[in-house]
Amino acid sequence: MPRGDKSSYTDKQKRKADHIAESYEARGVPEKEAEARAWATVNKDSGGGNKSGSGRGKPDTHASARRGGKAAAERPAADRSAAARKGWETRRRNAAS
């Protein structure tokens, strides 16, 4: 199978990669880079293509979807509040210009 061939991926994996790539493109990432990142994420979540015979029923780990969240909750409230104020100021400044 040539490099880059997506025939061994399930329809669900292909849909997931399309959705992730669209999200990256919406944030300004170039199309080729967005597609590469999307497939890397799908591979990380599911371990690659699942259409072959032996490992076909292997469940997805959703490892990429579980990243983050905990560290922010462990930060002190004052730090979170300061970060929120800074973000608000940045958005206000960018909207004015």
Side-chain angles (χ1 to χ4, degrees):
M1 178 172 40
R3 251 184 108 150
D5 183 21
K6 307 295 187 223
S7 64
S8 65
Y9 288 89
T10 62
D11 289 338
K12 181 179 180 179
Q13 289 173 310
K14 292 175 185 175
R15 286 193 310 271
K16 189 173 191 177
D18 287 342
H19 179 74
I20 294 168
E22 287 173 11
S23 177
Y24 276 124
E25 288 174 26
R27 288 183 262 166
V29 177
E31 185 178 350
K32 285 186 100 170
E33 174 69 17
E35 189 174 339
R37 288 186 189 184
W39 282 109
T41 304
V42 169
N43 287 336
K44 185 173 185 179
D45 281 351
S46 60
N50 284 341
K51 268 194 174 172
S52 63
S54 61
R56 190 168 192 152
K58 202 165 26 167
D60 290 351
T61 63
H62 305 292
S64 298
R66 290 197 178 122
R67 289 173 47 202
K70 184 178 177 186
E74 292 175 352
R75 289 169 50 201
D79 287 352
R80 292 195 308 272
S81 182
R85 277 194 302 276
K86 183 180 177 186
W88 182 84
E89 288 291 336
T90 302
R91 287 189 296 277
R92 185 175 62 84
R93 188 173 54 249
N94 289 343
S97 59

